[in-house]
Each structure stands twice: as C-alpha cells, then as structure tokens.
C-alpha cells in the first residue's frame, strides 16, 4: 500500500528561505552570474507567491533585460532554464550534498519546489567506475563514437536554428548588460567575429596513430587525417570512415559558443560559426575577429597565433599534458602539469590568449585547456563579468578597450569530468 506524504514533512517557509539563501550564495552559482540572476528571480517569485511573474516572457524582460521577447521565435529562457536545472543538479551532488532541503525547478515549469532530502538519497554513494575491462574495449569505442555522432547531429541542428534566426536579431547594444572580456572581441562596424570549433576527429586520430598533425599537414591537400588507412590497432574500419567524413566537435565546445550567443544576442548577425576543417589559411587574411576553441592539437589554426605566447602547451603520450613556462617570473613554476585521478578529478590548467591579427586590424582569441574540462572552464572565466576587474588589475589597465595583447594561465579544478572553478595564476602582456 502506497503511503501518503505527511504535510509536516514538507519544508516550512523559514526552511525554504534559508535553503534559497544558501543556494543563491553558493560558489557554484557565483561562477555563473546570469544563471544566478535567473535563480534568484525564480526563488523570489516562488517564495512571495508571485507565480504569475514566472512566465517565459516575464523572465526574459526582468532577468535578461530584453525590451521585447517572442517565445515562438526565441529560446533564450528555455535554454537558460535547462542550464539552470543542470547547475542545480551539480550543486546537489557537491556543495549541497549535506543540505536538508532540496530545491528543484521541474521541467516545463519555472516555479521552484522545495522538499526534504531523503535519507536513502543522502546515504547513496556517488558512482565511481574504473577503467574498462579489456572485453569491454570495443563497446567503449563505439560509445565514444556514438556520443560524437550525437554532437554532429547537434551541430547541424544548432547551425540551422542559428541561420534561421540571425536575420531577425537587431544589431543594437544592450547598455545594461555587464561587460565581459569578450567585449574586446565583439565585431565593430563592417567586421565579423568568426567562432571556430576544434576538430575532435584529430584528437582520436592522434590517439590511434600516436602522431600530432602540424598545421602544414592539416591545411595540405594531402591531409594525412583524410587519407588514413585501416591499421591493426584500429577496432573497426567504420571508425576510419567517420574520421574522414564527419566534422566532429564536442558538446563542451558548443557550450562556449552558446554562452557567447546567449550573452550577446544583439550581435548574432555578425557572428559566424565554422569547423576547423572547413577553414583555409586565406580566411585569416581579413580584418575580422577570430575565436579559436581548443589548442593546436585539436585546432591546428591556433599555431598561427601562438608564437608570441609565453605559455606553451605540450601534450604527453598518455593524452595528458603540461604548460611550459618559457620565461618564469618570481614565484612562478617552470612547468604546470595536469594532475588528475582515473575519474577525471583533480587539477587541470588552461590558457587564454588575445592578440591582434597581424596588420589586418582584427583580434584573435585562443581558448585551450590541457583537457576538455579546462577549455570549458576557461570559456566560462572569459565570459564571466566578475573576471574583468581581476584581469584589468593584473594587466594594469583601467578599461577593457585599453587592454593590450595578453595571455592568461588558469588553474582549473575538475570533478567528475566537469571544470568546477578557474583561478588566475598568471597574466602577461604580449
């Protein structure tokens, strides 16, 4: 017989407000100010009984500062709500693991719910899996390719949606939006900003062949990646076909692109999305801005602009890597290496470089971590308004538009394959 829930088990209003305060002030949400603003608005409306203010349009106007919003044509609020639910789940499994009250936002709604965390839920240990058994290696390979295939489909859908909506977005700055470091990469009059996704097939090809592809080889008509033949250590020739024909990128790389489009929707008409394999060296001979996601090992075009950088990424045979500090300053290390356990938990590093594109007038942004988590966390750091004062102070500037060419080295702490925080450990003028 099913037992009913006693009303006494539901959190009272004092417990709800305490849980809301604890959640909104957590470090998890301090790193995501836009999602925190949305969370605070939802919690305030829920706790004050203003459910009529929790509509998609009202959230767009009140939280994101939109002067007009059409839910039938835009998905800013729905996409942000999905990210917010993911953040809440992340909080519950980390900072909020010992919280008595669980805060949730059910799918399809914007009204928050509060409940007591059950003892069984609290006592359940996190799932930890070791490396695959040899008998499972073939299944694991196909799982990787299945996920990458999903990324391909996802990319096609995202590109179609972006092409369909970009013409309806007005090129009108939102004065009330807080500045981020990306403001220096925004297109000016007659400019575009090209966002270039890494070639994830290149990472897998390097793992199969134990080679790193140079830019000269990658840009050549005889690209070894496209001509790779089946070998004894390749589980299935179908993998080779996918390496040759599919423009693969990872979901975390798309998250950086989506964050840019979400934070700067008024510039969508002047942003272009490309895959590294579709680029040509002549494409960079323009006055446009460029954003290259991933280091030279997954986005070889980055090597065009890394020559002046002090911190140089070197990949190791085990798939990890280190940043080599060519000119260490006092209290700096000569080398910064990733230190992670088998379940992708531990210290990682990432590099951000902003340079001028030779004499063409545009600027180039490079974002690269040793691992995927580092790249994702570096993207969040760059798009976080709270990073601006720290970077300006470190580079002795008073405004973003006065920033010179520069590079940043970040220390990332990752948990369960997710970059949790980014700490600035070095800032250099170039």
């Amino acid at each position: 017989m099913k037992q009913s829930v006693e009303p006494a088990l539901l959190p009272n209003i004092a417990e709800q407000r305490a849980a809301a305060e604890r959640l909104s002030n957590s470090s998890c949400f301090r790193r995501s100010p836009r999602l925190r603003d949305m969370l605070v608005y939802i919690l305030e409306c829920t706790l004050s009984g203003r459910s009529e203010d929790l509509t998609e349009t009202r959230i767009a106007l009140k939280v994101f500062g939109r002067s007009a919003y059409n839910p039938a044509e835009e998905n800013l609020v729905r996409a942000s709500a999905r990210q917010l639910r993911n953040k809440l789940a992340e909080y519950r499994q980390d900072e909020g693991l010992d919280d008595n009250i669980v805060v949730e936002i059910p799918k399809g709604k914007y009204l928050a719910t509060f409940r007591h965390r059950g003892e069984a839920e609290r006592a359940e240990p996190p799932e930890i899996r070791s490396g695959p058994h040899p008998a499972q290696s073939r299944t694991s390979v196909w799982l990787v390719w299945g996920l990458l295939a999903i990324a391909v489909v996802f990319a096609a859908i995202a590109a179609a949606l972006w092409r369909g909506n970009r013409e309806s977005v007005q090129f009108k700055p939102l004065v009330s939006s807080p500045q981020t470091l990306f403001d220096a990469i925004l297109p000016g009059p007659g400019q575009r900003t090209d966002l270039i996704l890494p070639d994830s097939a290149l990472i897998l090809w390097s793992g199969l062949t134990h080679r790193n592809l140079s830019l000269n080889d990658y840009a050549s008509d005889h690209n070894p990646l496209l001509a790779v033949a089946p070998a004894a250590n390749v589980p299935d020739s179908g993998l080779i076909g996918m390496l040759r024909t599919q423009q693969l990128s990872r979901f975390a790389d798309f998250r950086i692109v989506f964050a840019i489009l979400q934070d700067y929707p008024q510039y969508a008409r002047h942003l272009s999305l490309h895959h590294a394999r579709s680029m040509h060296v002549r494409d960079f001979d323009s006055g446009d801005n460029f954003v290259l996601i991933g280091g030279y090992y997954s986005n070889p075009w980055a090597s065009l602009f890394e020559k002046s950088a002090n911190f140089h990424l070197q990949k190791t045979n085990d798939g990890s890597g280190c940043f080599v500090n060519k000119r260490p300053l006092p209290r700096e290390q000569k080398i910064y290496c990733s230190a992670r356990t088998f379940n992708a938990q531990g210290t990682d590093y990432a590099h951000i470089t902003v340079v001028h594109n030779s004499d063409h007038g545009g600027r180039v942004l490079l974002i690269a971590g040793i691992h995927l988590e580092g790249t994702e966390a570096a993207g969040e750091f760059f798009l976080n308004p709270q990073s601006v004062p720290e970077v300006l102070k470190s580079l002795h500037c008073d405004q973003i538009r006065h920033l010179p060419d520069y590079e940043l080295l970040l220390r990332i702490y990752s948990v369960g394959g997710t970059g949790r925080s980014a700490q600035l450990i070095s800032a250099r003028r170039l």
Side-chain angles (χ1 to χ4, degrees):
M1 180 176 177
K2 187 177 179 180
Q3 294 182 348
S4 61
V5 178
E6 296 292 337
L9 294 179
L10 298 177
N12 59 43
I13 189 62
E15 291 175 318
Q16 292 180 20
R17 290 192 179 279
E21 183 77 14
R22 189 163 52 248
L23 179 60
S24 59
N25 290 327
S26 66
S27 60
C28 179
F29 280 95
R30 285 199 301 270
R31 294 191 300 270
S32 302
R34 293 295 178 92
L35 293 182
R36 183 184 183 277
D37 290 345
M38 186 175 183
L39 172 67
V40 169
Y41 178 80
I42 289 175
L43 292 175
E44 287 178 350
C45 291
T46 299
L47 293 172
S48 60
R50 301 189 345 259
S51 58
E52 68 277 5
D53 286 333
L54 289 175
T55 64
E56 190 172 342
T57 300
R58 293 290 290 175
I59 292 174
L61 301 180
K62 295 293 186 180
V63 176
F64 297 103
R66 302 295 295 273
S67 58
Y69 185 82
N70 186 346
E73 297 180 356
E74 303 179 73
N75 70 340
L76 170 62
V77 177
R78 295 190 297 276
S80 299
R82 286 193 294 271
Q83 295 178 15
L84 179 55
R85 294 185 185 101
N86 291 338
K87 273 289 182 184
L88 288 171
E90 178 184 320
Y91 171 83
R92 289 195 295 272
Q93 296 301 318
D94 186 28
E95 284 183 76
L97 193 59
D98 295 325
D99 287 0
N100 292 323
I101 309 300
V102 173
V103 181
E104 296 171 313
I105 301 174
K107 291 183 179 180
K109 300 179 180 179
Y110 299 109
L111 187 71
T113 64
F114 298 80
R115 64 176 175 85
H116 284 289
R117 187 192 293 267
E119 290 302 321
E121 179 184 358
R122 186 191 309 280
E124 184 178 358
E127 182 179 8
I128 299 177
R129 298 180 180 177
S130 60
H133 189 274
Q136 298 174 324
S137 59
R138 186 179 180 87
T139 302
S140 300
V141 168
W142 280 109
L143 176 59
V144 170
W145 284 110
L147 293 173
L148 288 173
I150 292 173
V152 174
V153 176
F154 187 77
I157 295 173
L161 289 173
W162 181 75
R163 285 196 300 269
N165 287 326
R166 70 177 190 174
E167 293 302 328
S168 64
V169 180
Q170 295 182 351
F171 184 58
K172 180 181 179 182
L174 296 181
V175 179
S176 60
S177 298
Q179 283 192 314
T180 75
L181 295 170
F182 191 78
D183 281 39
I185 314 297
L186 289 173
Q191 268 189 331
R192 301 192 66 84
T193 294
D194 297 305
L195 313 173
I196 304 172
L197 291 167
D199 191 344
S200 294
L202 186 55
I203 301 175
L204 295 169
W205 179 85
S206 298
L208 292 172
T209 62
H210 305 291
R211 291 177 54 192
N212 287 322
L213 206 59
S214 69
L215 176 59
N216 286 337
D217 288 336
Y218 187 75
S220 168
D221 293 334
H222 305 287
N223 185 337
L225 172 62
L226 304 181
V228 64
N233 64 335
V234 179
D236 193 289
S237 59
L239 301 180
I240 299 302
M242 186 175 290
L243 284 176
R244 288 173 174 167
T245 60
Q246 301 295 333
Q247 294 186 355
L248 304 175
S249 285
R250 301 162 296 188
F251 180 75
D253 300 317
F254 283 105
R255 289 189 63 180
I256 296 176
V257 173
F258 289 156
I260 292 172
L261 292 173
Q262 176 179 308
D263 288 351
Y264 298 92
Q266 70 276 27
Y267 287 92
R269 290 176 56 196
H270 302 268
L271 302 175
S272 298
L273 183 61
H274 307 273
H275 189 271
R277 200 180 294 186
S278 68
M279 297 296 291
H280 189 277
V281 66
R282 287 192 297 270
D283 295 329
F284 296 95
D285 293 335
S286 73
D288 291 340
N289 301 320
F290 295 92
V291 177
L292 288 94
I293 302 172
Y296 70 90
Y297 55 91
S298 62
N299 201 337
W301 302 109
S303 60
L304 287 173
F305 308 100
E306 290 179 333
K307 297 176 183 178
S308 61
N310 174 70
F311 294 98
H312 180 69
L313 176 58
Q314 291 187 353
K315 299 293 284 187
T316 55
N317 292 332
D318 62 358
S320 187
C322 303
F323 279 103
V324 177
N325 188 352
K326 294 190 293 187
R327 298 178 297 276
L329 296 177
R331 296 186 296 277
E332 286 186 350
Q333 301 172 199
K334 292 183 178 180
I335 191 169
Y336 295 87
C337 295
S338 173
R340 307 197 311 169
T341 60
F342 68 90
N343 61 338
Q345 176 172 324
T347 303
D348 207 348
Y349 292 91
H351 190 220
I352 294 174
T353 307
V354 178
V355 294
H356 280 85
N357 185 10
S358 186
D359 56 353
H360 297 294
R363 303 196 83 177
V364 180
L365 165 64
L366 310 176
I367 302 177
I370 295 177
H371 298 97
L372 176 63
E373 300 90 334
T375 302
E376 183 179 3
E380 290 186 3
F381 177 91
F382 197 78
L383 293 166
N384 189 341
Q386 296 180 4
S387 303
V388 173
E390 183 179 11
V391 172
L392 289 178
K393 180 179 179 181
S394 299
L395 295 173
H396 307 290
C397 284
D398 57 351
Q399 296 183 40
I400 292 177
R401 62 189 179 91
H402 292 158
L403 281 171
D405 289 357
Y406 66 92
E407 63 177 334
L408 310 175
L409 184 67
L410 306 174
R411 180 183 291 113
I412 313 296
Y413 187 75
S414 60
V415 177
T418 302
R420 297 305 312 279
S421 61
Q423 177 189 3
L424 179 63
I425 59 176
S426 181
R428 299 281 187 93
R429 288 172 172 251
L430 296 177

